[in-house]
Amino acid sequence: MSKKKFFVTTPIYYVNDRPHIGHLCTTLAADVLARYHRLLGEDVFFLTGTDEHGAKIAEAARKEGKEPEEFCDELAGEFKENWDKLNLSYDFFIRTTDPRHEKIVSEFIQKLYDKDYIYKDKYEGLYCIGCEKFLTDSDLVDGKCPYHPTKEPVKQSEENYFFKLSKFERDIKKAIKGERGDENHYKIVPPNKEHEILSKLELGLKNISISRAEVSWGIPIPWDKKQTIYVWFDALLNYYTATQFLKDKKKFWPADLHIVGKEISWFHNVIWQAMLLAADFPLPKKVLVHSFYISGGQKMSKSIGNIISPEKLISRFGIDGTRYLILSTFPYPKDSDITMDYLMEKYNADLANGLGNLVQRVGKLAEKIGLGNLEVKDVNNLETGVSIELFRFSQALELIQENISILDKYIEKERPWEQTDGKLKNTLLKIIVGDKNSKSILDIAFALKPFLPETSEKIEKIFTADKIIAPKKPLFPRV
Ligand code: MSP
């Protein structure tokens, strides 16, 4: 029997910005899910990448006095470097400037043109370069884009190609609601985000412009080379193109899960779905819409200048320390307001004093009596599975913390350091390997696999060695 497949995606990040924890949280969430599904024995494809065309990127390159190609190479490299450092186990990193992607995007838009879903008209209105979005009156707050309140929306008036989005209103609603027998049923989580989309759909859909006459940094419209394809139309298709131009990946299409932030929910839950319906393609199975990291009540972003970079966290808390902190504050379903002080406290409590200390103490006692070569039971129960599948990563980590604290309490009660060697051996066996009724250090290491892969491996290595030796340096030094 062929294995179950799991195709998970992150948004592809704009390269005008350096990676920050808003980007990291989405990629890390996808990583946990990818690792979890691999543990279940499924065939996993985890896709991430960068969004490199459009006015915003061209402008950012110009500001730095660079050609867009060179600028994109640098920034895409920076994203990749960060993700590699953090052990994000993506299977492919797509860049929209990849000619293989560009070719399939051209073919796709040509197909919709041939099917009469695209026509030429005049666009007059406002445009937010920050979002790369045509603004409607209902988008505006005090005349500005709510996500870029410091930027004036640009007035635009040009001949563009339009996509007949309005034709798909009924079918999108049907797909979201999963009316009986609709094979295209897809789920939006959490439910309030589904509700938000459905109520906006009630207001009706207007056709949208999908080309730009004055932006040359993009993929040309195949039948009218003076225009380029609207950057969102190009970017959304990455989820499809990667499965087509890579070897042996066609079987993963369509996505099982798109993970996206709330400001791009509309693009993924309405425009993307309409594009797929227009092409007679199957729809994804689920779209997870997360909220934001905020600071002082504002979305963390470059334009507001309140970002925390992954590098800053890594230098203070290490790789797995960073992973732990981001996952335990993952902004879902609500926004997450974090400060460096809070992260430091959490790190010291849960990792330095909690997990790290437990491994050190038990390691030392085992080393003292020359324990090793333990008979290890097969661990494969993932009691955190339900929380992972519900995207409640902090809840999953709390569950693991609970098991750590049960072991800590057991140690305090038994006072193994006062025990004779024979008794000590039994106590340690119970702590390290466990028995039917208790969770052990090795169970904890297993449960940590999707979250802290390096730490999990280190712990397994220490306690399954021929001779247990406590780590020379603490796993999580106090900060
Ligand atoms: N390029 C588009 C996505 C195209 S996908 C076909 C884009 N890029 S982005 O770099 O601006 O944002 C990417 C993701 O980062 C979004 O899901 C966004 O929600 C997320 N975050 C950016 N800032 C964030 C926070 N402060 N907090 C949490 N995530 C946020 O949009």
Side-chain angles (χ1 to χ4, degrees):
M1 211 173 73
S2 69
K3 280 202 223 170
K4 200 169 160 207
K5 65 115 185 159
F6 181 68
F7 176 22
V8 59
T9 73
T10 75
I12 48 173
Y13 305 107
Y14 285 131
V15 289
N16 70 313
D17 214 353
R18 312 218 110 82
H20 60 68
I21 60 170
H23 309 127
L24 174 58
C25 73
T26 323
T27 323
L28 200 44
D31 183 57
V32 169
L33 286 153
R35 288 176 184 275
Y36 167 72
H37 282 269
R38 287 188 200 112
L39 278 177
L40 296 182
E42 294 175 19
D43 210 355
V44 171
F45 183 38
F46 166 13
L47 179 68
T48 189
T50 40
D51 189 352
E52 306 188 358
H53 288 131
K56 165 152 119 169
I57 308 301
E59 194 180 292
R62 207 165 33 242
K63 271 197 190 139
E64 298 224 351
K66 294 191 171 132
E67 286 303 317
E69 289 86 346
E70 181 196 1
F71 178 76
C72 290
D73 283 351
E74 270 176 34
L75 267 293
E78 210 173 297
F79 272 96
K80 238 175 148 187
E81 230 172 73
N82 269 274
W83 298 166
D84 290 341
K85 217 186 263 170
L86 283 156
N87 279 321
L88 300 175
S89 61
Y90 59 88
D91 295 293
F92 188 66
F93 189 99
I94 190 168
R95 299 181 52 188
T96 50
T97 46
D98 187 322
R100 297 172 296 180
H101 164 82
E102 292 176 342
K103 178 170 175 277
I104 301 173
V105 171
S106 301
E107 287 162 6
F108 184 92
I109 202 166
Q110 182 72 53
K111 176 171 173 179
L112 298 205
Y113 187 61
D114 295 343
K115 288 182 84 174
D116 202 25
Y117 284 128
I118 292 176
Y119 63 97
K120 201 168 192 180
D121 204 351
K122 182 150 187 181
Y123 179 80
E124 258 177 337
L126 294 174
Y127 190 82
C128 171
I129 297 188
C131 293
E132 291 282 16
K133 184 177 173 194
F134 298 93
L135 298 169
T136 59
D137 286 345
S138 66
D139 290 325
L140 299 174
V141 175
D142 298 330
K144 305 255 173 72
C145 161
Y147 296 113
H148 298 91
T150 56
K151 285 189 182 149
E152 228 21 83
V154 182
K155 274 213 177 72
Q156 210 175 279
S157 164
E158 56 181 40
E159 287 257 291
N160 287 161
Y161 288 97
F162 279 70
F163 170 51
K164 295 184 182 168
L165 183 66
S166 58
K167 271 202 171 318
F168 300 96
E169 191 179 312
R170 224 189 96 244
D171 284 346
I172 296 175
K173 272 192 215 157
K174 241 176 83 189
I176 296 175
K177 288 183 184 158
E179 284 166 8
R180 258 154 56 114
D182 189 346
E183 57 185 28
N184 270 327
H185 174 46
Y186 78 98
K187 230 178 144 51
I188 304 174
V189 287
N192 65 330
K193 294 294 172 206
E194 171 176 311
H195 186 74
E196 202 175 281
I197 294 290
L198 285 173
S199 13
K200 239 176 130 181
L201 281 171
E202 285 307 317
L203 303 175
L205 280 180
K206 288 211 177 78
N207 295 342
I208 55 162
S209 159
I210 49 148
S211 76
R212 300 294 310 274
E214 279 157 23
V215 177
S216 59
W217 180 238
I219 306 175
I221 291 277
W223 62 89
D224 181 352
K225 298 270 173 10
K226 289 190 292 306
Q227 300 243 351
T228 54
I229 299 175
Y230 171 43
V231 59
W232 267 99
F233 198 93
D234 159 4
L236 286 163
L237 278 165
N238 90 88
Y239 305 131
Y240 171 65
T241 63
T243 63
Q244 304 303 299
F245 68 71
L246 292 172
K247 196 166 167 256
D248 297 335
K249 298 293 185 216
K250 284 201 176 76
K251 64 176 178 217
F252 286 101
W253 175 255
D256 295 280
L257 178 67
H258 292 307
I259 306 181
V260 305
K262 62 181 172 184
E263 87 284 33
I264 57 174
S265 166
W266 182 257
F267 286 104
H268 285 83
N269 285 311
V270 176
I271 297 177
W272 177 224
Q273 311 301 332
M275 285 164 64
L276 296 173
L277 288 167
D280 291 321
F281 282 4
L283 302 188
K285 301 279 173 272
K286 199 182 267 185
V287 180
L288 163 66
V289 182
H290 66 73
S291 294
F292 291 151
Y293 276 115
I294 53 172
S295 153
Q298 299 233 58
K299 179 189 177 200
M300 222 178 256
S301 77
K302 184 174 129 174
S303 46
I304 298 171
N306 56 353
I307 59 165
I308 299 179
S309 70
E311 267 152 9
K312 181 166 175 186
L313 295 185
I314 295 172
S315 68
R316 204 164 295 183
F317 306 113
I319 304 293
D320 275 358
T322 300
R323 290 179 62 109
Y324 186 88
L325 294 173
I326 294 296
L327 288 166
S328 50
T329 56
F330 183 62
Y332 177 82
K334 291 203 195 100
D335 286 343
S336 182
D337 198 344
I338 55 166
T339 60
M340 280 307 272
D341 284 347
Y342 172 77
L343 295 180
M344 198 133 59
E345 245 171 60
K346 180 100 183 134
Y347 169 91
N348 281 332
D350 291 2
L351 295 178
N353 300 342
L355 180 61
N357 193 35
L358 173 71
V359 169
Q360 198 74 18
R361 275 167 107 187
V362 176
K364 274 203 180 125
L365 287 167
E367 186 177 334
K368 192 181 103 188
I369 57 165
L371 203 61
N373 218 352
L374 304 182
E375 205 176 299
V376 178
K377 61 177 183 176
D378 226 7
V379 200
N380 58 9
N381 79 333
L382 266 179
E383 61 170 354
T384 51
V386 175
S387 305
I388 295 177
E389 286 181 31
L390 293 173
F391 317 112
R392 307 285 177 149
F393 305 122
S394 65
Q395 198 177 296
L397 291 171
E398 273 161 30
L399 215 60
I400 297 176
Q401 279 305 330
E402 237 165 68
N403 288 325
I404 294 174
S405 96
I406 290 172
L407 286 183
D408 278 341
K409 285 202 188 105
Y410 178 74
I411 292 173
E412 291 310 318
K413 190 176 127 245
E414 293 292 318
R415 306 177 71 78
W417 54 90
E418 289 173 359
Q419 291 175 348
T420 56
D421 285 6
K423 177 106 197 297
L424 176 58
K425 185 176 168 193
N426 286 333
T427 308
L428 289 176
L429 281 179
K430 185 162 155 76
I431 298 170
I432 298 169
V433 187
D435 56 29
K436 277 203 293 296
N437 313 311
S438 67
K439 288 278 175 297
S440 68
I441 288 192
L442 288 175
D443 289 309
I444 291 171
F446 186 82
L448 283 171
K449 273 181 200 292
F451 304 98
L452 312 184
E454 222 173 69
T455 303
S456 156
E457 210 183 303
K458 273 189 200 156
I459 300 176
E460 275 183 359
K461 235 182 176 163
I462 294 170
F463 292 104
T464 56
D466 291 345
K467 244 182 126 213
I468 297 176
I469 298 186
K472 294 277 164 295
K473 283 194 296 193
L475 291 185
F476 298 99
R478 273 189 76 82
V479 295

